[in-house]
Amino acid sequence: MISNETMSASDGANCGDCPEGREQKACCAPAAARDAVPVSPPESPCAGNLEAAFTADSLRPMVSLPGGTFLMGTDYPYGFPQDGEGPIRPVSLSPFQIDACPVTNQDFAAFVAATHFRTEAEKFGWSFVFWSHIPKDRSLEAVEGTVAAAPWWCKVPGANWQSPEGPSSSVRDRPEHPVVHVSWNDAHAYAAWSSKSLPTEAQWEYAARGGLEQKLYPWGDELTPGGKHRCNIWQGVFPSYDTAEDGFAGSCPVDSFPPNGSGLYSVTGNVWEWCADWFHASFHVGKVLSDPAGPASGQARVMKGGSFLCHASYCNRYRVAARTSNTPDSSASNIGFRCVRNLRPE
Ligand SMILES: [Ca+2]
């Protein structure tokens, strides 16, 4: 049943001010505020039941990037300066490799099959699902509460990476979609298993820019060049009606749109991607930035790239310089990740 319970989205989870309204809006991905004792979820079919051949992470394509100095951040007037998008600053990076695509359900299934890892959404027994993606015939019993500042985010018991919309849903028919409902802690565990790391924010943004300098998107400054969609975001009226003009309402296969100039797919839109750094809005200001890794501690981790829920009328964080954050144990149906392999000498 939908109860009167509401959950507060933490400041770290908030989308921040929208360009027009300048009011706090928690649209990006809500914080879980998981202060309750984790409960054991019911036994669920293991990822090993996925019939598709599991792709070992070592076989996943990676892009080698030479590093060097690039201009990070933006002074875009319709951005979110309070997020710390600016100032534009030179940042130097050592060479590294980055996954060409976000980690998919198929990839994560291989990790789970090998390690029997249980995500935090599984341990706590629930995750956040966007309201219109919950099957209509199940919405009354499936939703346990909503986020006060963003009532389109629903607490759904049984929602996890294997069951993205709750117990009756499955990833069986979406092996190439990015895995979702993974917390930062879950993503970090996958990265460690695969002998990789989560990207620093600087690595992510450098890779996302695809060799272009100071462009809004991975492909340039025009959102739909030639009238063609280049990423999976929201069209229509948020949060009530998504026309899915780009072909997708919800997540999509990671290779649905062309790659950027460096060969990275699904960079902006589709799902947010966790970065290694703790989030701080001004930590980077005035510092010498060589292989920056963010503050030593914090409350929330950086997320980049925006998701299928982003719309210019509400949150245009599908830009490469945009940033938001969430607490490390939070999960939702629009947060995933990709990994990097550092090549600099330790
Ligand atoms: Ca879309």
Side-chain angles (χ1 to χ4, degrees):
M1 291 288 292
I2 297 177
S3 71
N4 291 327
E5 174 191 2
T6 57
M7 292 159 286
S8 298
S10 75
D11 290 340
N14 285 347
C15 208
D17 297 353
C18 68
E20 293 80 12
R22 297 296 170 195
E23 57 190 275
Q24 287 294 318
K25 293 182 175 180
C27 57
C28 296
R34 284 177 163 145
D35 52 2
V37 177
V39 295
S40 297
E43 288 299 320
S44 58
C46 183
N49 285 351
L50 279 174
E51 293 178 358
F54 295 143
T55 304
D57 189 84
S58 60
L59 299 179
R60 301 190 66 234
M62 298 191 81
V63 170
S64 294
L65 297 174
T69 301
F70 79 108
L71 294 178
M72 185 172 176
T74 185
D75 291 331
Y76 182 56
Y78 301 105
F80 299 87
Q82 68 275 28
D83 286 353
E85 291 184 359
I88 299 170
R89 64 276 186 191
V91 171
S92 298
L93 291 176
S94 301
F96 65 100
Q97 296 176 319
I98 187 166
D99 290 342
C101 303
V103 172
T104 65
N105 288 318
Q106 180 172 279
D107 301 324
F108 202 78
F111 164 59
V112 170
T115 63
H116 303 289
F117 183 83
R118 294 175 67 224
T119 61
E120 293 196 285
E122 291 169 296
K123 292 175 182 174
F124 284 91
W126 64 275
S127 190
F128 283 118
V129 181
F130 187 72
W131 75 273
S132 67
H133 296 163
I134 300 169
K136 298 291 185 293
D137 60 346
R138 292 189 53 254
S139 58
L140 286 180
E141 76 270 21
V143 178
E144 199 168 88
T146 58
V147 176
W152 44 85
W153 280 116
C154 301
K155 177 181 179 180
V156 175
N160 57 55
W161 78 271
Q162 298 184 83
S163 302
E165 291 82 42
S168 66
S169 62
S170 169
V171 295
R172 192 174 297 276
D173 62 349
R174 37 186 142 160
E176 298 298 336
H177 286 226
V179 64
V180 293
H181 295 299
V182 284
S183 68
W184 186 93
N185 295 321
D186 300 330
H188 180 71
Y190 178 100
W193 168 74
S194 60
S195 299
K196 298 179 183 174
S197 306
L198 293 178
T200 65
E201 181 180 5
Q203 288 175 323
W204 190 98
E205 186 170 323
Y206 168 74
R209 291 183 177 278
L212 301 178
E213 183 171 290
Q214 280 297 299
K215 299 297 184 184
L216 289 175
Y217 311 113
W219 55 86
D221 280 333
E222 191 177 351
L223 182 59
T224 54
K228 293 186 176 180
H229 290 280
R230 295 293 300 265
C231 65
N232 177 15
I233 54 177
W234 182 286
Q235 293 87 39
V237 180
F238 185 86
S240 57
Y241 182 57
D242 185 358
T243 66
E245 186 181 288
D246 56 23
F248 306 98
S251 69
C252 67
V254 294
D255 60 352
S256 297
F257 296 92
N260 72 1
S262 293
L264 270 71
Y265 291 83
S266 193
V267 175
T268 51
N270 212 9
V271 298
W272 285 98
E273 297 182 24
W274 290 112
C275 290
D277 313 38
W278 289 107
F279 180 89
H280 194 285
S282 59
F283 178 79
H284 54 282
V285 177
K287 288 192 169 58
V288 175
L289 298 166
S290 179
D291 289 322
S297 61
Q299 301 297 314
R301 298 286 186 174
V302 172
M303 302 192 303
K304 297 282 277 188
S307 82
F308 55 78
L309 296 181
C310 291
H311 185 270
S313 69
Y314 207 99
C315 171
N316 66 356
R317 287 184 175 83
Y318 41 82
R319 295 168 291 110
V320 289
R323 57 201 308 255
T324 192
S325 65
N326 209 338
T327 49
D329 61 355
S330 289
S331 63
S333 57
N334 69 338
I335 309 176
F337 69 103
R338 77 179 77 207
C339 299
V340 296
R341 181 177 291 125
N342 293 308
L343 301 178
R344 64 178 179 271
E346 296 296 334

